[in-house]
Structure formats: C-alpha cells, structure tokens
Amino acid sequence: MTKVLAASDGVLSLIGLPQFLEAEICPAPRWLRPKNVSAVAGWGVRESGLRAERLAKRFAVPVIHLEDGFLRSVFPGREFRPYS
C-alpha cells in the first residue's frame, strides 16, 4: 500500500483522508525516511504545510497541501468527515 506522511497530528487524524488518497497515512519522523513513502501531506501554507515541504524535499517526494473547501462537511466539527 502507498504511504503518505502527515506533517501534523491534524492531517494524521483527518477522517476520510486514507480513502481519498488511497494511501496509508503515517506520522512523519523527524529524521529517517520510512520505506515506500510516496508523498508528504501538510495543511495549506501553515506550519504543517511548510514542514511538509521541507520533509518532501529531504525525502525527494511530492508534497500535498490540504485545505478545507467552502462547504467542509455536513455537520460542524472534526469528528465529521470533510466533503470538500
């Protein structure tokens, strides 16, 4: 299975992200590249997005920047799956 590193706990806990990316979402290590990593995901241009860019550059893989859409989910809160 494809692995994507999450540059923050928020990205790691995002409901539905593994299905959307068709990948296993793993915590990003501080120094060692895990095997079979395809990309690094971070949140927008916030700190986790910037961290994702640094990790992706270090591991020579693409970076994925995630953002909420206009209508994030049917109900408010992190416990609900985002739809946009």
Side-chain angles (χ1 to χ4, degrees), residues 1-4 17-26 38 64:
M1 176 179 252
T2 303
K3 290 184 182 180
V4 173
L17 188 60
Q19 294 82 7
F20 179 73
L21 294 179
E22 296 178 352
E24 178 184 355
I25 310 301
C26 307
S38 299
I64 300 171

